[in-house]
Amino acid sequence: MDRTFIPRVIDPAAIVEMDDGVIVRIGDTLHTFNSTGCEIIELFDGARTIGDIIEVMVARYPDDDQVAPAVEAFFDELENLNMLNRSE
Amino acid sequence: MRRYLGIGDNIAVLEWNDSRLGGFMPYLFRPWEIDQPGDTDVAVFRADMNGAGIRLDLPGKTVACPDERMAALELEYALTMYAQAQLDDHVQVHGACFGTESGCVLIVGTHGIGKTTLALSAISQGLYALSDDICPFDHDMRHLLGFPRPFKVAVDILAMNPCPVPVDCPSFYATADITYVFTHEPPGKYCADRLPLRHILFPNRRPGPVAFEQMGQTEAMQLLLTQGFNYVDRDSLDLARTLLGVLIQAPPLRFGYGDSFEAADAIRDLLT
C-alpha cells in the first residue's frame, strides 16, 4: 500500500448517508460502507495522503491498536475493487 | 366473452370464445376490471379455442398453445409484463406484501425463502394480500398497491398440513410447479387495493419462536437493493435515495421464524 497516494475527493452528489453508514456511487456501481468506512471516506479531501488519513484515525482512537491495520485493510479493499482514484 | 382492465393510464381487454377457458380467464387481474371504455385504444389479449388447441393473440405476438394450461401460463405472463410496463413510473419491489387495515409489511428475501408460503399463511390467518412477487409503491412512496396477479403455488405448498391456501379461493392447475391461486377472490375478502407500509421485513428461516430484530439502515439498504431489485436498478443512486425515505418511515426488521402460521400471527400483532 502506497501511503503517499492521495485519494480523490468523492463527489457529495454520489453519496447517500444513512444512520450507520453510507452508499457511494463509483463508476456504474453502488458500494456500501459502514460507519467506520464512512468516517474514512470523509477524510478524502484531495490533499491528505493515505498515510495522513491513517494518522488521523489512529489519533481519534488512541486506545485501539487495530485502527491502523484496519484502515490499511480498508484501502486495500478499495484498491482491489478498483475504487481508489488518485487526486489530480 | 370479454373483460376490460384498467391498468395505470391504459386499458387492456381480455377476450375468449369458449367457456372451457373459464377456469382462469374470468379471474385474471379481476380487481382491475372496469366498465367498457369509450372510444379509446386498448391492448388486446385474445384466446381462441379451436380444434388445434388455443390460439393466443397478444400485444406484439401470436402464440399457439396445445391446451388450457399452456394458454394460462402464456396469458398470465403476457398480462403481468404488460401491467408492469404500465406501472413503470412506480417503484416496483420484488417481494411479498400483506397486512391489515392499519397497514402492511413488505417481505424482501431471496428466491425460495418462503415469501409466498408466508403470504398465503397470512391470508389464511385473516390478513389481506396485496401482492406476491411484484410489489408496486404508490407515487407517495408511503403506500403499497395491490398487484392482483394470481399466486403461483407449487405442489409442496398445496400438500402442507395445514394447507395455507384458503379453500374458497379459485385455483387453476397449470404445472407441478404452478397452480394459480386467485387470492383476490372472493372480491375483497383476502386482498386489499392499497395499504400504508409499516415495516420492511427480511426473513431468516430457522427453527424456534418468531423474533423481530432491529436493523441498521446500511444493512437493510444493501439487502433491499440486492434482493428487491434487478441488476440495473440496484446500482441506481436515485433509487437508493428514494428507498432511504422508505426505510425511515417503515423501519426494517430482521425476522426469524420457523413456522409460517406463527410468523403470520406475529406479523398481525406487529401491525396492531
Side-chain angles (χ1 to χ4, degrees), chain A residues 1-79:
Chain A
M1 172 59 58
D2 176 9
R3 289 194 174 203
T4 65
F5 187 97
I6 300 175
R8 182 186 295 175
V9 175
I10 294 177
D11 183 357
I15 293 174
V16 175
E17 290 187 28
M18 294 172 288
D19 61 1
D20 62 346
V22 66
I23 286 181
V24 178
R25 183 179 177 85
I26 298 177
D28 295 328
T29 310
L30 297 188
H31 299 274
T32 309
F33 299 103
N34 61 18
S35 54
T36 302
C38 184
E39 210 176 332
I40 296 170
I41 288 170
E42 284 173 349
L43 295 173
F44 292 13
D45 62 359
R48 287 193 181 99
T49 65
I50 289 177
D52 295 333
I53 291 170
I54 291 174
E55 282 181 20
V56 168
M57 292 297 288
V58 168
R60 283 183 186 176
Y61 304 100
D63 297 330
D64 186 347
D65 61 0
Q66 294 303 306
V67 170
V71 176
E72 282 196 357
F74 178 77
F75 279 110
D76 283 336
E77 182 68 16
L78 290 184
E79 194 169 45

Side-chain angles (χ1 to χ4, degrees), chain B residues 10 29 43-44 245 270:
Chain B
N10 295 292
F29 293 91
V44 178
L270 180 70

